[in-house]
Amino acid sequence: LPPLGTVYVATYAQRNGWTVELLDAERDLLSEEELDANILPHPLLGKLTLREMMYFTAYHAAHHEEIVKKMIDTKRYGV
């Protein structure tokens, strides 16, 4: 089963007219060629390969994690 948050987002997207396909990284092992052949739309960056989207998503999550850590430290230590 995919994480529930992913299912919620997929359901919302489907109800709003998007075509949704969930990939399970453990079940659907993709080749290097498939990572570059699958194209996904991004609202700001345009069309990205699946590989690019994965890198972008990982970077973006890490970026926000750092912001939250700094906010917590500022609140906790007044730094």
Coordinates of all heavy atoms in Angstrom, one line a residue:
L1 N 0.8 -1.2 0.0 CA 0.0 0.0 0.0 C 0.9 1.2 0.0 O 1.8 1.3 0.7 CB -0.9 0.0 1.3 CG -2.0 -0.9 1.3 CD1 -2.7 -0.8 2.7 CD2 -3.0 -0.6 0.3
P2 N 0.5 2.2 -0.8 CA 1.3 3.5 -0.7 C 0.9 4.3 0.5 O -0.2 4.0 1.1 CB 0.8 4.2 -2.0 CG -0.5 3.6 -2.4 CD -0.5 2.2 -1.9
P3 N 1.7 5.2 1.0 CA 1.4 6.0 2.1 C 0.0 6.7 2.0 O -0.3 7.1 0.9 CB 2.5 7.0 2.2 CG 3.6 6.4 1.5 CD 3.0 5.6 0.4
L4 N -0.7 6.8 3.0 CA -2.1 7.4 3.0 C -2.0 8.8 2.4 O -2.9 9.2 1.7 CB -2.8 7.4 4.3 CG -3.4 6.1 4.7 CD1 -4.0 6.2 6.1 CD2 -4.4 5.6 3.7
G5 N -1.0 9.6 2.8 CA -1.0 11.0 2.3 C -0.9 11.0 0.7 O -1.6 11.9 0.1
T6 N -0.2 10.1 0.2 CA -0.1 10.0 -1.3 C -1.4 9.6 -1.9 O -1.9 10.2 -2.9 CB 1.0 8.9 -1.7 OG1 2.2 9.3 -1.1 CG2 1.1 8.8 -3.2
V7 N -2.1 8.7 -1.2 CA -3.5 8.3 -1.7 C -4.4 9.5 -1.6 O -5.2 9.7 -2.6 CB -4.0 7.1 -0.9 CG1 -5.4 6.8 -1.3 CG2 -3.1 5.9 -1.1
Y8 N -4.4 10.3 -0.6 CA -5.3 11.4 -0.4 C -5.0 12.4 -1.6 O -5.9 12.9 -2.2 CB -5.1 12.1 0.9 CG -5.6 11.4 2.1 CD1 -4.9 11.4 3.3 CD2 -6.7 10.6 2.0 CE1 -5.3 10.7 4.4 CE2 -7.1 9.9 3.1 CZ -6.4 9.9 4.3 OH -6.9 9.2 5.4
V9 N -3.8 12.7 -1.8 CA -3.4 13.6 -2.9 C -3.8 13.1 -4.3 O -4.4 13.8 -5.1 CB -1.9 14.0 -2.9 CG1 -1.5 14.8 -4.1 CG2 -1.5 14.7 -1.6
A10 N -3.6 11.8 -4.5 CA -4.0 11.2 -5.8 C -5.5 11.3 -5.9 O -6.0 11.6 -7.0 CB -3.6 9.7 -5.8
T11 N -6.3 11.0 -4.9 CA -7.8 11.0 -5.0 C -8.2 12.5 -5.2 O -9.1 12.7 -6.1 CB -8.4 10.5 -3.6 OG1 -7.9 9.2 -3.4 CG2 -9.9 10.6 -3.7
Y12 N -7.6 13.4 -4.6 CA -8.0 14.8 -4.8 C -7.7 15.2 -6.3 O -8.6 15.8 -6.9 CB -7.2 15.7 -3.9 CG -7.5 17.2 -4.1 CD1 -8.6 17.8 -3.6 CD2 -6.6 18.0 -4.9 CE1 -8.8 19.2 -3.8 CE2 -6.8 19.3 -5.2 CZ -8.0 19.9 -4.6 OH -8.2 21.2 -4.9
A13 N -6.6 14.8 -6.8 CA -6.2 15.1 -8.1 C -7.2 14.5 -9.1 O -7.6 15.1 -10.1 CB -4.8 14.7 -8.4
Q14 N -7.5 13.2 -8.9 CA -8.4 12.5 -9.8 C -9.8 13.2 -9.8 O -10.4 13.4 -10.8 CB -8.6 11.1 -9.4 CG -7.4 10.2 -9.8 CD -7.6 8.8 -9.3 OE1 -8.1 8.5 -8.2 NE2 -7.1 7.8 -10.1
R15 N -10.3 13.6 -8.6 CA -11.6 14.3 -8.5 C -11.6 15.6 -9.2 O -12.6 16.2 -9.5 CB -12.0 14.4 -7.1 CG -12.4 13.1 -6.5 CD -12.8 13.2 -5.0 NE -13.2 11.9 -4.5 CZ -13.4 11.7 -3.2 NH1 -13.3 12.7 -2.3 NH2 -13.7 10.5 -2.8
N16 N -10.4 16.2 -9.4 CA -10.3 17.5 -10.1 C -9.8 17.3 -11.5 O -9.2 18.3 -12.1 CB -9.4 18.4 -9.3 CG -10.1 18.9 -8.0 OD1 -10.9 19.8 -8.1 ND2 -9.9 18.2 -6.9
G17 N -10.0 16.2 -12.1 CA -9.7 16.0 -13.5 C -8.3 15.5 -14.0 O -8.1 15.4 -15.2
W18 N -7.4 15.3 -13.0 CA -6.1 14.8 -13.4 C -6.1 13.3 -13.6 O -6.8 12.6 -12.9 CB -5.1 15.2 -12.3 CG -4.8 16.6 -12.2 CD1 -5.6 17.6 -11.5 CD2 -3.8 17.3 -12.8 NE1 -5.0 18.8 -11.7 CE2 -3.9 18.7 -12.4 CE3 -2.7 16.9 -13.6 CZ2 -3.0 19.6 -12.8 CZ3 -1.8 17.9 -14.0 CH2 -1.9 19.2 -13.6
T19 N -5.2 12.8 -14.4 CA -5.0 11.4 -14.6 C -3.8 11.1 -13.6 O -2.8 11.7 -13.6 CB -4.5 11.1 -16.0 OG1 -5.6 11.5 -16.9 CG2 -4.3 9.6 -16.2
V20 N -4.1 10.1 -12.8 CA -3.1 9.8 -11.7 C -2.7 8.3 -11.9 O -3.5 7.4 -12.1 CB -3.8 10.0 -10.3 CG1 -2.8 9.5 -9.2 CG2 -4.2 11.4 -10.2
E21 N -1.4 8.1 -11.7 CA -0.8 6.8 -11.6 C 0.2 6.7 -10.5 O 1.1 7.5 -10.5 CB -0.1 6.4 -13.0 CG 0.5 5.0 -13.0 CD 1.2 4.7 -14.3 OE1 1.0 5.4 -15.2 OE2 1.9 3.7 -14.3
L22 N 0.0 5.9 -9.5 CA 0.9 5.8 -8.4 C 2.0 4.7 -8.8 O 1.8 3.7 -9.3 CB 0.2 5.3 -7.2 CG -0.8 6.3 -6.6 CD1 -1.5 5.7 -5.4 CD2 -0.2 7.6 -6.3
L23 N 3.3 5.1 -8.5 CA 4.4 4.2 -8.7 C 4.9 3.7 -7.3 O 5.0 4.5 -6.4 CB 5.5 4.9 -9.4 CG 5.3 5.4 -10.8 CD1 6.5 6.2 -11.3 CD2 5.0 4.2 -11.7
D24 N 5.1 2.4 -7.2 CA 5.6 1.8 -6.0 C 7.1 1.5 -6.3 O 7.4 0.6 -7.1 CB 4.8 0.6 -5.7 CG 5.3 -0.1 -4.4 OD1 6.4 0.1 -4.0 OD2 4.4 -0.8 -3.8
A25 N 8.0 2.2 -5.7 CA 9.4 2.0 -6.0 C 9.9 0.6 -5.7 O 10.8 0.2 -6.4 CB 10.2 3.0 -5.2
E26 N 9.3 -0.1 -4.7 CA 9.8 -1.4 -4.5 C 9.2 -2.4 -5.5 O 9.8 -3.4 -5.8 CB 9.4 -1.8 -3.0 CG 10.2 -1.0 -2.0 CD 9.8 -1.4 -0.6 OE1 9.0 -2.3 -0.4 OE2 10.4 -0.7 0.3
R27 N 8.0 -2.2 -5.9 CA 7.3 -3.1 -6.8 C 7.7 -2.8 -8.3 O 7.9 -3.7 -9.1 CB 5.8 -3.0 -6.6 CG 5.0 -4.0 -7.5 CD 3.5 -3.7 -7.6 NE 3.4 -2.5 -8.4 CZ 2.4 -1.6 -8.3 NH1 1.4 -1.8 -7.4 NH2 2.3 -0.6 -9.1
D28 N 7.7 -1.5 -8.6 CA 7.9 -1.1 -10.0 C 9.3 -0.6 -10.2 O 9.5 0.6 -10.4 CB 6.9 0.0 -10.3 CG 5.5 -0.4 -10.1 OD1 5.2 -1.5 -10.4 OD2 4.7 0.5 -9.7
L29 N 10.3 -1.4 -10.0 CA 11.7 -1.0 -10.2 C 11.9 -0.5 -11.7 O 11.6 -1.3 -12.6 CB 12.7 -2.2 -9.9 CG 12.7 -2.6 -8.5 CD1 13.6 -3.8 -8.3 CD2 13.1 -1.5 -7.5
L30 N 12.3 0.7 -11.8 CA 12.4 1.3 -13.1 C 13.8 1.3 -13.6 O 14.7 1.5 -12.8 CB 11.8 2.7 -13.1 CG 10.4 2.9 -12.7 CD1 10.0 4.4 -12.6 CD2 9.5 2.2 -13.7
S31 N 14.0 1.1 -14.8 CA 15.4 1.1 -15.4 C 15.8 2.6 -15.5 O 15.0 3.5 -15.5 CB 15.4 0.4 -16.8 OG 14.7 1.2 -17.7
E32 N 17.1 2.7 -15.8 CA 17.7 4.1 -16.0 C 16.9 4.7 -17.2 O 16.6 5.9 -17.2 CB 19.2 4.0 -16.3 CG 20.0 3.5 -15.1 CD 20.0 4.5 -14.0 OE1 20.1 5.7 -14.2 OE2 19.9 4.0 -12.8
E33 N 16.7 3.9 -18.2 CA 16.0 4.5 -19.4 C 14.6 4.9 -19.1 O 14.1 5.9 -19.6 CB 16.0 3.4 -20.5 CG 17.3 3.1 -21.1 CD 18.2 2.1 -20.2 OE1 17.6 1.4 -19.4 OE2 19.4 2.2 -20.4
E34 N 13.9 4.1 -18.3 CA 12.5 4.5 -17.9 C 12.4 5.7 -17.0 O 11.5 6.5 -17.2 CB 11.8 3.3 -17.1 CG 11.5 2.1 -18.0 CD 11.1 0.9 -17.2 OE1 11.7 0.6 -16.2 OE2 10.0 0.4 -17.6
L35 N 13.4 5.9 -16.2 CA 13.5 7.2 -15.4 C 13.6 8.4 -16.3 O 13.1 9.4 -16.0 CB 14.7 7.1 -14.4 CG 14.6 6.2 -13.3 CD1 15.9 6.2 -12.5 CD2 13.4 6.5 -12.3
D36 N 14.3 8.3 -17.4 CA 14.5 9.4 -18.3 C 13.4 9.5 -19.4 O 13.2 10.5 -20.0 CB 15.8 9.3 -19.0 CG 17.0 9.5 -18.0 OD1 16.8 10.3 -17.0 OD2 18.0 8.9 -18.2
A37 N 12.6 8.4 -19.6 CA 11.6 8.4 -20.6 C 10.3 8.9 -20.1 O 9.5 9.4 -20.9 CB 11.5 7.0 -21.2
N38 N 10.0 8.7 -18.9 CA 8.7 9.1 -18.3 C 8.7 10.6 -18.0 O 9.6 11.1 -17.3 CB 8.4 8.4 -17.0 CG 8.0 7.0 -17.3 OD1 6.9 6.7 -17.8 ND2 8.9 6.0 -16.9
I39 N 7.8 11.4 -18.7 CA 7.8 12.8 -18.6 C 6.6 13.2 -17.7 O 5.5 12.7 -17.9 CB 7.6 13.5 -20.0 CG1 8.7 13.0 -20.9 CG2 7.6 15.0 -19.8 CD1 10.1 13.4 -20.5
L40 N 6.8 14.1 -16.8 CA 5.8 14.6 -15.8 C 5.6 16.1 -16.0 O 6.6 16.8 -16.1 CB 6.2 14.3 -14.4 CG 6.5 12.8 -14.1 CD1 7.1 12.7 -12.7 CD2 5.2 12.0 -14.2
P41 N 4.4 16.6 -15.8 CA 4.2 18.1 -15.9 C 4.5 18.7 -14.5 O 4.1 18.1 -13.5 CB 2.8 18.2 -16.3 CG 2.1 17.0 -15.7 CD 3.1 15.9 -15.8
H42 N 5.2 19.8 -14.5 CA 5.3 20.6 -13.2 C 4.8 22.0 -13.5 O 5.1 22.6 -14.5 CB 6.8 20.6 -12.9 CG 7.1 21.3 -11.5 ND1 7.1 22.6 -11.4 CD2 7.3 20.7 -10.3 CE1 7.3 22.9 -10.1 NE2 7.4 21.8 -9.4
P43 N 4.0 22.5 -12.6 CA 3.3 23.8 -12.8 C 4.2 25.0 -13.0 O 3.9 25.9 -13.8 CB 2.4 24.0 -11.6 CG 3.0 23.1 -10.5 CD 3.6 21.9 -11.3
L44 N 5.4 24.9 -12.5 CA 6.4 26.0 -12.7 C 7.5 25.7 -13.6 O 8.0 26.6 -14.3 CB 6.9 26.5 -11.3 CG 5.8 27.1 -10.3 CD1 6.5 27.4 -9.0 CD2 5.2 28.3 -10.9
L45 N 8.0 24.5 -13.5 CA 9.2 24.1 -14.2 C 8.9 23.5 -15.6 O 9.9 23.2 -16.3 CB 10.0 23.1 -13.4 CG 10.5 23.6 -12.0 CD1 11.2 22.5 -11.2 CD2 11.4 24.8 -12.1
G46 N 7.7 23.2 -15.9 CA 7.3 22.6 -17.2 C 7.5 21.1 -17.1 O 7.3 20.5 -16.1
K47 N 7.8 20.5 -18.2 CA 8.0 19.1 -18.3 C 9.3 18.6 -17.8 O 10.3 19.1 -18.1 CB 7.8 18.6 -19.8 CG 6.5 18.9 -20.4 CD 6.4 18.4 -21.8 CE 5.0 18.7 -22.4 NZ 4.9 18.3 -23.8
L48 N 9.2 17.6 -16.9 CA 10.4 17.1 -16.3 C 10.4 15.6 -16.4 O 9.3 14.9 -16.4 CB 10.5 17.4 -14.8 CG 10.5 18.8 -14.3 CD1 10.4 18.9 -12.8 CD2 11.7 19.5 -14.8
T49 N 11.6 15.0 -16.5 CA 11.7 13.5 -16.5 C 11.4 13.0 -15.1 O 11.5 13.8 -14.1 CB 13.0 13.0 -17.0 OG1 14.0 13.4 -16.0 CG2 13.4 13.5 -18.3
L50 N 11.0 11.8 -15.0 CA 10.8 11.2 -13.7 C 12.0 11.4 -12.8 O 11.9 11.7 -11.6 CB 10.4 9.7 -13.8 CG 10.1 9.0 -12.5 CD1 9.0 9.8 -11.6 CD2 9.6 7.6 -12.7
R51 N 13.2 11.2 -13.4 CA 14.4 11.3 -12.6 C 14.6 12.8 -12.1 O 14.9 13.0 -10.9 CB 15.6 11.0 -13.5 CG 17.0 11.2 -12.8 CD 18.2 11.1 -13.8 NE 18.1 9.9 -14.6 CZ 18.6 8.7 -14.3 NH1 19.2 8.5 -13.1 NH2 18.5 7.7 -15.2
E52 N 14.3 13.7 -13.0 CA 14.4 15.1 -12.5 C 13.4 15.5 -11.4 O 13.8 16.2 -10.5 CB 14.2 16.1 -13.7 CG 15.3 16.0 -14.8 CD 14.9 16.7 -16.1 OE1 13.7 16.7 -16.4 OE2 15.9 17.2 -16.7
M53 N 12.2 14.9 -11.6 CA 11.2 15.2 -10.6 C 11.6 14.6 -9.2 O 11.4 15.2 -8.2 CB 9.8 14.6 -11.0 CG 8.7 15.0 -10.1 SD 8.3 16.7 -10.0 CE 7.2 16.9 -11.4
M54 N 12.2 13.4 -9.2 CA 12.6 12.8 -8.0 C 13.7 13.6 -7.3 O 13.7 13.8 -6.1 CB 13.1 11.3 -8.3 CG 11.9 10.4 -8.7 SD 12.4 8.8 -9.3 CE 13.3 8.1 -7.9
Y55 N 14.7 14.0 -8.1 CA 15.8 14.9 -7.6 C 15.2 16.2 -7.0 O 15.5 16.6 -5.9 CB 16.8 15.2 -8.6 CG 17.8 14.1 -8.9 CD1 18.1 13.7 -10.2 CD2 18.5 13.5 -7.9 CE1 19.0 12.7 -10.5 CE2 19.4 12.4 -8.1 CZ 19.7 12.1 -9.4 OH 20.6 11.1 -9.6
F56 N 14.3 16.8 -7.8 CA 13.7 18.1 -7.4 C 12.9 17.9 -6.1 O 13.1 18.7 -5.1 CB 12.8 18.6 -8.5 CG 12.1 19.9 -8.0 CD1 12.7 21.1 -7.9 CD2 10.7 19.8 -7.7 CE1 12.0 22.2 -7.5 CE2 10.0 20.9 -7.2 CZ 10.7 22.1 -7.2
T57 N 12.1 16.8 -6.0 CA 11.3 16.6 -4.8 C 12.2 16.3 -3.6 O 11.9 16.9 -2.5 CB 10.4 15.4 -5.1 OG1 9.6 15.7 -6.2 CG2 9.5 15.1 -3.9
A58 N 13.3 15.5 -3.7 CA 14.2 15.3 -2.6 C 14.8 16.6 -2.2 O 14.9 16.8 -1.0 CB 15.2 14.2 -3.0
Y59 N 15.3 17.4 -3.1 CA 16.0 18.6 -2.7 C 15.0 19.6 -2.1 O 15.3 20.2 -1.1 CB 16.6 19.3 -4.0 CG 17.1 20.7 -3.7 CD1 18.3 20.9 -3.0 CD2 16.3 21.8 -4.0 CE1 18.7 22.2 -2.7 CE2 16.7 23.1 -3.6 CZ 17.9 23.2 -3.0 OH 18.3 24.5 -2.7
H60 N 13.8 19.6 -2.6 CA 12.8 20.6 -2.1 C 12.4 20.2 -0.7 O 12.3 21.1 0.2 CB 11.5 20.5 -3.0 CG 10.6 21.7 -2.8 ND1 10.8 22.9 -3.4 CD2 9.5 21.8 -2.1 CE1 9.8 23.7 -3.1 NE2 9.0 23.1 -2.2
A61 N 12.2 18.9 -0.4 CA 11.9 18.5 0.9 C 13.0 18.8 1.9 O 12.8 19.3 3.0 CB 11.6 17.0 0.9
A62 N 14.3 18.6 1.5 CA 15.4 18.9 2.4 C 15.5 20.4 2.6 O 15.8 20.8 3.7 CB 16.7 18.3 1.7
H63 N 15.2 21.2 1.6 CA 15.3 22.6 1.7 C 14.3 23.1 2.8 O 14.6 23.9 3.7 CB 14.9 23.2 0.4 CG 14.6 24.7 0.4 ND1 15.5 25.7 0.6 CD2 13.4 25.3 0.3 CE1 14.9 26.8 0.6 NE2 13.6 26.7 0.4
H64 N 13.1 22.6 2.8 CA 12.1 22.9 3.8 C 12.4 22.4 5.1 O 12.1 23.0 6.2 CB 10.7 22.5 3.3 CG 10.1 23.4 2.3 ND1 9.6 24.6 2.6 CD2 10.1 23.3 0.9 CE1 9.2 25.2 1.5 NE2 9.5 24.5 0.4
E65 N 13.0 21.2 5.2 CA 13.4 20.7 6.5 C 14.4 21.6 7.2 O 14.3 21.9 8.4 CB 14.0 19.3 6.3 CG 14.5 18.7 7.6 CD 15.2 17.3 7.4 OE1 15.6 17.0 6.2 OE2 15.3 16.6 8.4
E66 N 15.3 22.2 6.4 CA 16.3 23.1 7.0 C 15.6 24.4 7.5 O 16.0 24.9 8.5 CB 17.4 23.4 5.9 CG 18.4 22.3 5.7 CD 19.1 21.8 6.9 OE1 19.6 22.7 7.7 OE2 19.2 20.6 7.2
I67 N 14.7 24.9 6.7 CA 13.9 26.1 7.1 C 13.2 25.8 8.5 O 13.3 26.6 9.4 CB 12.9 26.5 6.1 CG1 13.7 27.0 4.8 CG2 12.0 27.6 6.6 CD1 12.8 27.3 3.6
V68 N 12.6 24.7 8.6 CA 11.8 24.3 9.8 C 12.8 24.2 11.0 O 12.5 24.6 12.1 CB 11.0 23.0 9.6 CG1 10.4 22.5 10.9 CG2 9.9 23.3 8.6
K69 N 14.0 23.5 10.7 CA 14.9 23.4 11.8 C 15.4 24.7 12.3 O 15.5 25.0 13.5 CB 16.2 22.6 11.3 CG 15.9 21.1 11.2 CD 17.2 20.4 10.7 CE 17.0 18.9 10.5 NZ 18.2 18.2 10.0
K70 N 15.7 25.7 11.4 CA 16.1 27.0 11.8 C 15.0 27.7 12.6 O 15.3 28.4 13.5 CB 16.5 27.8 10.6 CG 17.8 27.4 10.0 CD 18.1 28.2 8.7 CE 19.4 27.6 8.1 NZ 19.7 28.3 6.8
M71 N 13.7 27.5 12.2 CA 12.6 28.2 12.9 C 12.5 27.6 14.3 O 12.3 28.4 15.2 CB 11.3 27.9 12.1 CG 11.2 28.7 10.8 SD 9.8 28.3 9.8 CE 8.5 28.7 10.8
I72 N 12.7 26.3 14.4 CA 12.6 25.7 15.8 C 13.7 26.2 16.6 O 13.5 26.5 17.8 CB 12.6 24.1 15.6 CG1 11.3 23.7 15.0 CG2 12.9 23.5 17.0 CD1 11.3 22.2 14.6
D73 N 15.0 26.2 16.1 CA 16.1 26.7 16.8 C 15.9 28.1 17.3 O 16.3 28.5 18.4 CB 17.4 26.5 16.0 CG 17.9 25.1 16.0 OD1 17.4 24.3 16.7 OD2 18.7 24.8 15.1
T74 N 15.4 29.0 16.4 CA 15.2 30.4 16.7 C 14.2 30.5 17.8 O 14.4 31.3 18.8 CB 14.7 31.1 15.4 OG1 15.7 31.0 14.4 CG2 14.4 32.6 15.8
K75 N 13.1 29.7 17.7 CA 12.1 29.8 18.8 C 12.6 29.3 20.1 O 12.4 29.8 21.2 CB 10.9 29.0 18.3 CG 9.7 29.2 19.3 CD 8.5 28.6 18.7 CE 7.3 28.9 19.6 NZ 6.0 28.4 19.0
R76 N 13.4 28.2 20.0 CA 13.9 27.5 21.2 C 15.0 28.3 21.9 O 15.1 28.5 23.1 CB 14.3 26.1 20.9 CG 14.8 25.3 22.1 CD 15.2 23.9 21.8 NE 14.1 23.2 21.2 CZ 14.2 22.2 20.4 NH1 15.4 21.8 20.0 NH2 13.1 21.6 19.9
Y77 N 16.0 28.8 21.1 CA 17.2 29.4 21.6 C 17.3 30.9 21.3 O 18.3 31.5 21.8 CB 18.4 28.7 21.0 CG 18.4 27.2 21.3 CD1 18.3 26.3 20.2 CD2 18.6 26.6 22.6 CE1 18.3 24.9 20.5 CE2 18.5 25.3 22.8 CZ 18.4 24.4 21.7 OH 18.4 23.1 22.0
G78 N 16.4 31.4 20.6 CA 16.5 32.9 20.3 C 17.6 33.2 19.4 O 18.1 34.3 19.4
V79 N 18.1 32.2 18.6 CA 19.3 32.4 17.8 C 18.9 33.1 16.5 O 17.9 32.9 15.9 CB 19.9 31.1 17.4 CG1 21.1 31.3 16.5 CG2 20.4 30.4 18.7

